[in-house]
Amino acid sequence: MEYRKFAEIPEKVSLLGFGGMRFPVRDDQPENIVEEGVQALIDHARERGITYFDTAYSYHGGRSEEVLSGALRKYPRNSYYLADKLPIWLIKEAADTEKYFMEQLERCQTEYFDFYLVHSLDRYKYEICEKYHVYDALKRFRSEGRIRHLGFSFHDTPEILEKIVSDHTWDFAQIQLNYLDWEMQDAKGQYEILESRGIPCIVMEPNRGGALTSLPESSAKFLKEVHPERSLGSWAIRFAASKPGVLCVLSGMESEAVVDENAATVTGVTPFDEREERAVGQAVDMFLKNKMIPCTGCAYCRECPKQVNIPKIFAAYNQYLVGKDNFQFYNAYSKLKAEERAGNCIGCRKCIEHCPQGIRITEELDMIQKLVVRINEIRPSNWGEM
């Protein structure tokens, strides 16, 4: 395991971090975490040298904090770093910052957070942050020792990022960085702003919610031609880890095998050479030609009042795009409960307010519902009923 530190973060932090947003669950229910499975994963991560563990108030319907901190409790508190995030969208008055912060300390049964972030800042959430003097409250908690390092996670343009880091002094920042978003969402511009200011970068979504571990063959072939022995996921992890301004790369790892592979990938990391850069560029070009929906499966949109399962619908559609296979799509879509399907969308657009990727969700659901109708009209009878 490789470890990094910066002047602002003097502790040695494992280059690979464990993300608490995608724990194994039962019955596809985010709150129904398989706790014994999480314990085994955390134990294995600790054995492989991982010291950075990340959670948030909203992950797994509010249960991630409790389960993650519970799994870590068997270890000395000074042997790992716990990161948590303030749900800025819930702040309605100045007193709410302390209210939620104290609730999180209680959930995690800890006296302090090593890394604490304002969650998912964009131009609108930053207005909330400023209106209710959130930074000032968190700065006070830091002076009291209840926060060791203060930062924010971010989903917006480099211009908004520039304003946020100019207005206040931050110890670190977390951005979505992967080789697909390097140009598509200008992660390059965001990273360069942080690097130029000496602000350590925590990377989220290095695999873009798994999209870069299951590339369509038309994209994957360029990477396999260069390194046929390497997994697709290792390319994505290494791309992020090779950036010198990166302190830690977060990954939501659902098996010990993935922990092992990612830990090996971040050991002795080297930058991409010219041939590897070209292969990644070709893979991205082909990926974009497929016009896949850029969903990471973060499930922030699951606040849907009609309970439409947006991430699973988009996953089924993206798989359909790989081979234009009607049966594959029909088979995956049929596994959704009736109330979870695209036709139940009422166009309230609440999902769009929560989507960090800026996806036009209601329009995409309408397009997918039309595809469902079309396939229903032509499907053979032996496909069964949807």
Side-chain angles (χ1 to χ4, degrees):
M1 176 64 64
E2 187 172 326
Y3 298 86
R4 289 185 181 173
K5 66 177 183 176
F6 291 78
E8 295 78 4
I9 311 289
E11 300 91 347
K12 286 186 176 180
V13 175
S14 59
L15 182 51
L16 178 65
F18 200 107
M21 189 171 72
R22 295 185 173 95
F23 288 146
V25 300
R26 293 185 177 90
D27 304 320
D28 196 32
Q29 298 300 312
E31 301 88 353
N32 197 3
I33 298 172
V34 182
E35 295 187 36
E36 62 274 21
V38 173
Q39 184 68 67
L41 285 170
I42 296 303
D43 290 343
H44 193 70
R46 293 282 296 161
E47 290 171 5
R48 293 308 306 264
I50 294 175
T51 60
Y52 190 101
F53 296 87
D54 171 270
T55 185
Y57 187 87
S58 59
Y59 291 173
H60 283 281
R63 294 216 59 227
S64 174
E65 293 170 322
E66 173 193 348
V67 172
L68 176 61
S69 59
L72 288 167
R73 203 159 295 136
K74 64 193 289 187
Y75 301 101
R77 182 63 184 84
N78 62 0
S79 69
Y80 61 87
Y81 305 110
L82 180 61
D84 208 340
K85 308 181 190 73
L86 178 73
I88 188 67
W89 56 91
L90 297 180
I91 304 300
K92 307 300 181 185
E93 58 182 9
D96 283 345
T97 299
E98 183 163 8
K99 167 190 166 184
Y100 286 109
F101 180 76
M102 296 303 294
E103 182 181 349
Q104 290 176 291
L105 287 176
E106 177 63 26
R107 280 184 179 185
C108 293
Q109 293 291 290
T110 187
E111 296 180 353
Y112 65 92
F113 292 114
D114 300 280
F115 293 80
Y116 193 76
L117 304 85
V118 183
H119 197 175
S120 194
L121 282 185
D122 56 23
R123 68 192 69 202
Y124 306 110
K125 297 188 189 79
Y126 187 57
E127 290 175 1
I128 297 173
C129 189
E130 294 295 271
K131 179 179 180 180
Y132 296 116
H133 308 289
V134 169
Y135 178 86
D136 293 336
L138 298 181
K139 186 178 178 182
R140 173 167 58 84
F141 300 154
R142 184 176 60 182
S143 70
E144 295 169 351
R146 293 188 285 180
I147 293 174
R148 300 292 170 84
H149 304 292
L150 176 58
F152 62 93
S153 63
F154 181 77
H155 290 282
D156 211 316
T157 64
E159 291 74 25
I160 302 302
L161 179 61
E162 186 74 63
K163 176 172 176 54
I164 292 172
V165 298
S166 296
D167 287 351
H168 301 292
T169 300
W170 303 91
D171 300 319
F172 69 102
Q174 182 169 305
I175 62 172
Q176 181 170 309
L177 190 157
N178 53 67
Y179 62 74
L180 179 61
D181 289 319
W182 192 244
E183 300 289 346
M184 189 171 76
Q185 291 198 5
D186 203 0
K188 178 182 179 181
Q190 297 174 36
Y191 170 78
E192 289 175 346
I193 288 171
L194 299 179
E195 187 178 40
S196 69
R197 290 174 174 268
I199 300 175
C201 175
I202 305 287
V203 171
M204 58 182 161
E205 300 292 0
N207 271 308
R208 218 176 196 286
L212 302 184
T213 66
S214 55
L215 292 169
E217 185 56 36
S218 57
S219 290
K221 69 176 184 179
F222 297 107
L223 307 184
K224 292 177 180 178
E225 286 171 359
V226 177
H227 293 299
E229 78 287 359
R230 294 183 185 173
S231 71
L232 298 177
S234 70
W235 280 81
I237 295 291
R238 181 174 158 228
F239 179 86
S242 67
K243 307 301 177 189
V246 168
L247 176 66
C248 183
V249 178
L250 295 173
S251 179
M253 296 172 278
E254 297 184 359
S255 73
E256 293 183 5
V258 174
V259 173
D260 290 339
E261 179 180 282
N262 288 350
T265 300
V266 302
T267 302
V269 178
T270 58
F272 282 19
D273 61 28
E274 184 177 338
R275 188 180 179 208
E276 290 168 330
E277 289 279 6
R278 183 169 58 253
V280 164
Q282 291 171 318
V284 168
D285 288 344
M286 187 58 65
F287 186 94
L288 295 176
K289 285 180 181 177
N290 283 319
K291 296 183 179 179
M292 291 184 166
I293 300 172
C295 174
T296 65
C298 70
Y300 292 171
C301 57
R302 288 302 303 275
E303 297 297 323
C304 173
K306 302 300 287 185
Q307 294 164 11
V308 176
N309 197 328
I310 298 165
K312 287 214 163 183
I313 293 171
F314 286 172
Y317 179 73
N318 282 341
Q319 282 300 113
Y320 162 78
L321 287 177
V322 172
K324 291 294 192 296
D325 187 327
N326 287 345
F327 177 73
Q328 183 183 46
F329 173 76
Y330 187 87
N331 188 43
Y333 195 82
S334 296
K335 292 177 182 177
L336 292 169
K337 298 175 183 176
E339 63 270 19
E340 293 181 325
R341 297 174 184 171
N344 294 303
C345 174
I346 58 175
C348 68
R349 301 176 63 85
K350 288 184 179 179
C351 52
I352 296 175
E353 296 173 12
H354 294 288
C355 180
Q357 309 305 325
I359 300 171
R360 297 178 298 180
I361 296 175
T362 53
E363 294 179 27
E364 299 288 11
L365 289 176
D366 181 62
M367 177 269 296
I368 293 171
Q369 176 59 18
K370 290 175 181 175
L371 173 64
V372 171
V373 171
R374 188 164 68 250
I375 292 177
N376 257 327
E377 290 173 346
I378 63 172
R379 66 176 173 82
S381 58
N382 63 359
W383 284 12
E385 293 296 328
M386 183 179 292

